[in-house]
Amino acid sequence: MTELSPTAGKNSQDIQGDEKLSPRKAPGICSTRYGIAFMVHLCNFIIMAQNIIMNITMVAMVNSTTHQPSFNDSTEGLPVDSFGDPNNSPKSLPAGGLGYGGQFAIWERWSPPHERSRLCGVAVSGLLLGTSIAILLGGIISQTLGWPFVFYIFGGFGCVCFPLWYVLVYDEPVAHPWINITEKEYIISSLAQQVSSTKQPLPIKAMVRSLPLWSMCVCCFSHQWLINVITIYAPTYISSVFNIDIRNSGFLSALPFIIAWVVCLLGSYLADFLLTKNFRLVTVRKIATVLGNLPSSTFLLVLPFVASNYIIAVSLLTLSCGLGLLCQPGVYVNALDIAPRHSSFLMGMSRAFAQLSAVLAPTVSGFLLSQDPEFGWRNVFSLSFVINTLGLIFYLIFGKADVQDWAKERKLTHL
């Protein structure tokens, strides 16, 4: 591998104009890094599917004393549908538990800057696919084979996944025994100025004073507020207005997550495509964040004004949930841009901050509904729109996509 000069290393940060980062000579989709992305996709699929089926089987075990629970023709009573009970709604979908933040430690050393959107998108979309498949098949398996077989089937996939992960996934390209030498050099050279082999301490004080970091956290919080309102209260609104429980249809319950899965993949590829067209990285991140926030919150705001048409209302609700995943190649991967050395910690921190909305959104929305039965729904959706818009504006003003000074490698000197 040729040695990089300091000038070349500095220029490598401008991923739009640097030919060194061009993947033309490096393996593309049939490569080790994409293989790892698909492996993480599979793990996320299993994690979320097992989370969903746990709720399905609890309903079955409570409602039946035999191995043949009384389910309807899909997933009736399933509290984790795209829109369920506040106590069991899929709050972990955006967060993905401990695995979500932890998996970003992989992309610190495996994702070239101009491929981060699609690699992270492929990986994270497994959460959405796992949710939709579990909703579609969980009730059917429980009805036909009995609820224990839901554990056997999805648990079996988890048992298969573990040895595959152990054999195929490594911390960094240098340690991988089967990686193509061209791909290894391509990844290492593209990340030469962003990661280091030495452990860097967390610059906590600098992080607290960092407006780009705060803008990322605030925007994640406001977006998660919107997602929680959609998943918890919007279908209840549909049920109260039209007297139709869309949770009784497994397909309608899974449809928003299927759309979100497709949107996440397409949006991630579109973000990286824009980078090849000389768009600045920060511009791409902000475009994706706007597209993932503004249409979704607007559709939710309009929902009370189409109370006369069931099809339009359900369509707006489905699109609002599905289009929200356009944020994935935006604010949700921003930690890899501003602080790649600390991205896993920052992702965990921003997700923890965002999950405060899982407590606040149901509490505030429930209060608004109890205080004003006539205009309560309109107030809930309007408040969600305002919070989402304010968080988006804060990110558009202060969000950055270049490596922050506090996240760069610091050389310690000893006197």
Side-chain angles (χ1 to χ4, degrees):
M1 190 190 326
T2 57
E3 185 177 358
L4 298 175
S5 65
T7 302
K10 182 178 180 180
N11 291 338
S12 68
Q13 297 180 12
D14 186 0
I15 64 175
Q16 290 79 25
D18 198 340
E19 294 181 357
K20 177 170 65 63
L21 296 183
S22 174
R24 284 175 290 184
K25 295 183 180 181
I29 210 71
C30 298
S31 62
T32 303
R33 63 189 184 281
Y34 280 94
I36 291 176
F38 286 116
M39 190 69 233
V40 179
H41 178 96
L42 176 61
C43 291
N44 283 332
F45 170 88
I46 293 170
I47 290 172
M48 187 52 61
Q50 291 176 344
N51 189 5
I52 299 299
I53 65 167
M54 181 65 70
N55 291 281
I56 295 175
T57 52
M58 282 194 177
V59 174
M61 286 185 285
V62 169
N63 292 340
S64 177
T65 57
T66 69
H67 291 323
Q68 295 294 333
S70 177
F71 268 61
N72 68 356
D73 56 354
S74 56
T75 54
E76 181 178 6
L78 174 60
V80 293
D81 297 354
S82 58
F83 330 100
D85 183 280
N87 295 322
N88 293 305
S89 61
K91 300 182 183 70
S92 59
L93 173 63
L98 294 175
Y100 187 89
Q103 65 188 243
F104 274 81
I106 296 176
W107 304 126
E108 291 176 11
R109 298 182 179 275
W110 276 100
S111 62
H114 77 294
E115 295 184 15
R116 281 174 180 158
S117 298
R118 74 189 88 164
L119 288 171
C120 293
V122 168
V124 172
S125 62
L127 296 169
L128 303 163
L129 186 61
T131 302
S132 58
I133 295 299
I135 290 174
L136 284 171
L137 300 182
I140 297 175
I141 295 173
S142 295
Q143 184 180 21
T144 57
L145 301 176
W147 62 262
F149 281 88
V150 183
F151 284 102
Y152 300 154
I153 293 173
F154 287 97
F157 280 117
C159 293
V160 171
C161 180
F162 171 73
L164 289 176
W165 177 278
Y166 186 80
V167 172
L168 299 177
V169 179
Y170 288 77
D171 290 340
E172 53 188 349
V174 174
H176 204 289
W178 306 315
I179 188 174
N180 180 284
I181 185 66
T182 303
E183 180 185 8
K184 179 168 68 173
E185 293 182 352
Y186 162 63
I187 297 174
I188 293 175
S189 63
S190 67
L191 297 174
Q193 301 300 313
Q194 298 195 7
V195 297
S196 63
S197 57
T198 58
K199 185 69 174 179
Q200 297 288 315
L202 284 173
I204 299 297
K205 291 183 179 179
M207 287 181 178
V208 172
R209 296 192 298 264
S210 174
L211 279 175
L213 178 56
W214 274 109
S215 70
M216 184 182 73
C217 293
V218 170
C219 189
C220 287
F221 172 86
S222 63
H223 185 253
Q224 286 302 305
W225 184 291
L226 175 70
I227 295 299
N228 278 293
V229 169
I230 293 173
T231 56
I232 296 172
Y233 282 106
T236 306
Y237 167 79
I238 295 292
S239 178
S240 65
V241 172
F242 299 102
N243 295 319
I244 298 174
D245 191 354
I246 60 177
R247 287 170 291 182
N248 289 342
S249 170
F251 176 74
L252 282 180
S253 297
L255 182 60
F257 293 110
I258 296 174
I259 294 177
W261 177 67
V262 175
V263 166
C264 182
L265 291 174
L266 294 180
S268 298
Y269 273 83
L270 176 61
D272 285 339
F273 173 77
L274 291 178
L275 292 178
T276 66
K277 299 302 179 181
N278 296 324
F279 280 74
R280 295 176 61 213
L281 180 58
V282 65
T283 303
V284 172
R285 294 289 181 250
K286 291 182 178 181
I287 289 175
T289 304
V290 169
L291 293 178
N293 278 273
L294 202 54
S296 294
S297 58
T298 302
F299 290 155
L300 199 63
L301 181 67
V302 173
L303 198 58
F305 300 96
V306 293
S308 60
N309 193 309
Y310 169 73
I311 295 177
I312 294 178
V314 173
S315 298
L316 289 177
L317 174 59
T318 302
L319 289 174
S320 183
C321 183
L323 293 179
L325 265 294
L326 283 172
C327 274
Q328 174 55 38
V331 65
Y332 286 121
V333 297
N334 201 194
L336 283 166
D337 302 322
I338 65 174
R341 290 183 175 88
H342 311 299
S343 60
S344 57
F345 172 80
L346 295 183
M347 284 306 305
M349 182 189 70
S350 63
R351 284 295 187 168
F353 185 81
Q355 284 306 298
L356 291 174
S357 64
V359 177
L360 296 177
T363 303
V364 175
S365 299
F367 174 78
L368 292 176
L369 291 173
S370 65
Q371 294 299 309
D372 192 345
E374 183 178 358
F375 297 103
W377 288 113
R378 189 177 302 178
N379 295 336
V380 168
F381 297 149
S382 298
L383 178 63
S384 299
F385 177 83
V386 171
I387 291 175
N388 188 253
T389 303
L390 290 176
L392 176 61
I393 292 173
F394 190 74
Y395 179 73
L396 293 178
I397 295 174
F398 297 109
K400 303 292 183 182
D402 55 322
V403 179
Q404 300 299 291
D405 291 337
W406 51 265
K408 295 178 180 178
E409 184 174 6
R410 291 171 293 172
K411 295 181 179 180
L412 302 178
T413 57
H414 300 277
L415 298 178

